[in-house]
Amino acid sequence: MGIEADFETARRQVEAKRRSITDKRISLEEAVALVRDGNVVAVGGCLYSRTPIGLLWALIRRRRRNLTLVRNLTCYEAELLMVADAVDRLVTSWVGIALPWGLSRIFREYVESGRVVFEEWSHLALGLRLRAAAMGVPFLPTFSMLGSDLLKTSKAQTITCPFTGKTVCLVPALFPDVALIHVHRADPYGNAQIDGYPHMDQDLAAAAATVIVSAERVVDPEEIRRSGDRTVIPFFAVDAVVELPYGAYPHECYGLYEADFAHLETYARRASAEGEAWVRSYLEEFFHGPSSFSEYLARFGLGSLLETGRRARILVGGGIS
């Protein structure tokens, strides 16, 4: 499972990352070329919040194979990656758009048929695995998952705490080969800022051997310095920066555009009714059909992009203009 399997090798690889201040801006296609077949690929954001759709769009088009997808709460990008034959293993705590749409039919069919291996962790336990890797330690203790069947199906272990005598669960560090993260703004060096909830992205960036950041805007370093306290991911953790407006669409990017719920509703309804065949047609229309990410966005229509932006401004108190 990539470099996750060897703690010492994984830790040394992260420690050996390039730390110099250099211009890391590259194209979308050059960025996903850093992902290799068989890599453990961790995705930032959460559910339909700040999913790096643009990076995943380019990754699917590159036709990578045998990837392991790691994400805390996984949205329908898991379905797209499975049907595209890019992923044969999932490490997560949930797969589906959200509770109103229920569990993913595609996910269930792929796991039950043995085409994809599912490794389930609790949401907290998965976050602690990334936190352990970010800290450079082999595991972290938790009470999460105690009493559940996840102890039987995961790599977690239990010990008796030497201080309290209580049973404690130990979760192993998870070092992704590659992290894909979408942010609000970054400078050319990779200092990245996130507005709103950062989810697990800070630990994700510190844990991964290669970190690819897509940003709504690439800004002058001075703009980052003026609000340095908002820099969630520092330059020395980042290997590549891609400027990609609407890089999470049709998912949301807090304060800039809300999720396109009408699109998500249509996708979920048809995927539930028509299954894998619908997802393949969706991939053809939105992923393989467009010749560029700009053309991909155009398929949603300018009106939809403007409307989701209007709704996002309302949510953060920016009025309805």
Side-chain angles (χ1 to χ4, degrees):
M1 191 175 174
I3 60 174
E4 179 195 3
D6 185 340
F7 169 76
E8 293 296 338
T9 299
R11 176 173 172 169
R12 284 196 297 269
Q13 190 164 345
V14 172
E15 290 174 344
K17 283 171 65 77
R18 180 181 58 176
R19 309 288 179 178
S20 59
I21 299 179
T22 58
D23 190 333
K24 298 169 184 172
R25 289 174 291 181
I26 58 177
S27 71
L28 181 57
E29 290 70 25
E30 289 171 324
V32 296
L34 299 174
V35 182
R36 308 299 184 193
D37 289 347
N39 275 175
V40 176
V41 179
V43 172
C46 182
L47 206 56
Y48 52 75
S49 174
R50 267 191 313 98
T51 308
I53 292 291
L55 293 172
L56 295 172
W57 177 85
L59 183 63
I60 286 174
R61 289 166 61 87
R62 199 164 185 88
R63 301 187 187 277
R64 286 292 183 239
R65 295 291 182 264
N66 306 122
L67 302 177
T68 293
L69 175 64
V70 175
R71 200 177 190 206
N72 44 40
L73 298 178
T74 308
C75 198
Y76 70 86
E77 70 279 353
E79 299 182 0
L80 301 177
L81 288 160
M82 286 187 287
V83 175
D85 296 321
V87 163
D88 59 16
R89 186 184 186 111
L90 291 174
V91 180
T92 186
S93 58
W94 164 269
V95 179
I97 296 178
L99 288 175
W101 291 283
L103 191 67
S104 162
R105 168 184 169 177
I106 305 299
F107 163 66
R108 186 179 68 248
E109 290 177 352
Y110 268 69
V111 172
E112 289 178 352
S113 66
R115 286 178 284 177
V116 167
V117 173
F118 174 42
E119 185 179 319
E120 184 177 7
W121 297 80
S122 74
H123 184 67
L124 174 60
L126 188 55
L128 289 174
R129 295 191 65 194
L130 294 168
R131 175 64 59 87
M135 293 172 62
V137 297
F139 63 85
L140 280 177
T142 179
F143 291 122
S144 181
M145 303 198 307
L146 289 177
S148 77
D149 285 342
L150 293 180
L151 286 177
K152 303 174 184 177
T153 60
S154 72
K155 301 172 185 175
Q157 302 289 328
T158 59
I159 64 166
T160 300
C161 174
F163 302 104
T164 66
K166 301 288 187 181
T167 299
V168 177
C169 176
L170 304 182
V171 295
L174 197 167
F175 291 88
D177 294 302
V178 182
L180 306 178
I181 302 172
H182 188 68
V183 302
H184 288 75
R185 70 196 67 83
D187 66 18
Y189 309 134
N191 292 299
Q193 296 184 336
I194 295 171
D195 298 338
Y197 196 59
H199 304 298
M200 299 177 183
D201 290 4
Q202 188 173 34
D203 287 335
L204 195 60
T210 299
V211 177
I212 303 170
V213 166
S214 61
E216 292 289 325
R217 293 188 300 132
V218 174
V219 301
D220 188 273
E222 185 55 37
E223 182 173 337
I224 297 292
R225 294 190 192 101
R226 282 196 293 268
S227 55
D229 59 313
R230 297 168 70 183
T231 302
V232 175
I233 301 172
F235 74 92
F236 54 78
V238 176
D239 298 276
V241 176
V242 179
E243 186 168 38
L244 203 62
Y246 285 94
Y249 202 87
H251 294 195
E252 64 92 25
C253 191
Y254 174 80
L256 297 180
Y257 46 91
E258 181 59 283
D260 187 339
F261 288 111
H263 183 84
L264 299 188
E265 170 66 31
T266 298
Y267 174 91
R269 175 171 44 80
R270 294 199 62 181
S272 178
E274 302 172 45
E276 187 176 333
W278 156 249
V279 179
R280 291 196 184 279
S281 67
Y282 184 91
L283 285 168
E284 286 302 318
E285 180 179 358
F286 288 96
F287 282 68
H288 298 304
S291 60
S292 66
F293 191 68
S294 296
E295 187 178 326
Y296 159 85
L297 291 173
R299 300 203 173 194
F300 293 91
L302 179 60
S304 294
L305 272 65
L306 293 176
E307 173 59 19
T308 56
R310 185 188 71 87
R311 294 206 317 265
R313 289 193 297 275
I314 292 174
L315 287 173
V316 297
I320 59 174
S321 60

